[in-house]
Amino acid sequence: GEGFFNGDAIGGAGLFRSVDGGLSWDVMPGTAELGNICRIAISPADSDIIVLATRYGGLRRTTDGGGSWTTVYGAQGAFDVHFSPANPSRAIAQIIDHDGDWFHRALYSTDAGATWLTASGLEHVDGFGARIE
């Protein structure tokens, strides 16, 4: 699905995967209800660790290849997430949230996306139309 606030955005149906080289596709368990998935980050060290930036709910993570998902940073939404190719323990992400007004925030993780800290200087970028990427 499309998660970047356009008027004709299409809702998501989950994260699909293929185990036969793309001949067939199935929805990964627990992802159909996530709505729009904006970015997918797969750990370069362990393909069972995946972090999703979801338009509704924030950052979701699995450590068992998609068997189960945990919200590791709850927010109105998240648009971006990436693992460092040089150090798979490190990751960065962006969220959008609301505290009376809309704001964006940059995050970083030092434990492969299990927990997230706010990046200094980008903890509260005001405005619905602002974006950190």
Side-chain angles (χ1 to χ4, degrees), residues 51-53 57-61 70-73 78 81 93 95 107 116:
V51 180
L52 304 178
L59 299 171
R60 314 291 173 92
R61 182 176 186 257
T70 303
T71 299
V72 290
Y73 195 95
V81 63
I95 60 100
L107 306 172
W116 294 86

Side-chain angles (χ1 to χ4, degrees), residues 37-58:
I37 299 170
C38 298
R39 292 282 191 272
I40 304 163
I42 302 170
S43 168
D46 182 350
S47 62
D48 283 340
I49 298 174
I50 305 167
V51 180
L52 304 178
T54 62
R55 169 55 193 98
Y56 302 102

Side-chain angles (χ1 to χ4, degrees), residues 7 12-13 21 27 29 33-34 47 54-56 62 67 71 77 82 85 91 105 109 112-113 124 128 133:
V27 177
E33 69 277 358
L34 295 181
S47 62
T54 62
R55 169 55 193 98
Y56 302 102
T62 182
T71 299
H82 299 275
R105 173 174 290 156
S109 174
H124 204 281
F128 182 79
E133 195 163 336

Side-chain angles (χ1 to χ4, degrees), residues 53-126:
T54 62
R55 169 55 193 98
Y56 302 102
L59 299 171
R60 314 291 173 92
R61 182 176 186 257
T62 182
T63 59
D64 60 6
S68 61
W69 296 87
T70 303
T71 299
V72 290
Y73 195 95
Q76 290 286 326
F79 294 144
D80 210 3
V81 63
H82 299 275
F83 279 100
S84 167
N87 182 349
S89 294
R90 300 183 66 80
I92 57 171
Q94 174 274 355
I95 60 100
I96 182 171
D97 217 340
H98 193 271
D99 62 0
D101 290 311
W102 289 100
F103 68 91
H104 296 259
R105 173 174 290 156
L107 306 172
Y108 68 95
S109 174
T110 59
D111 57 8
T115 60
W116 294 86
L117 302 165
T118 302
S120 178
L122 293 171
E123 55 272 299
H124 204 281
V125 178
D126 292 330

Side-chain angles (χ1 to χ4, degrees), residues 14-33:
L15 181 61
F16 288 73
R17 73 171 164 198
S18 175
V19 294
D20 59 10
L23 295 174
S24 62
W25 294 85
D26 294 305
V27 177
M28 293 178 79
T31 65
E33 69 277 358

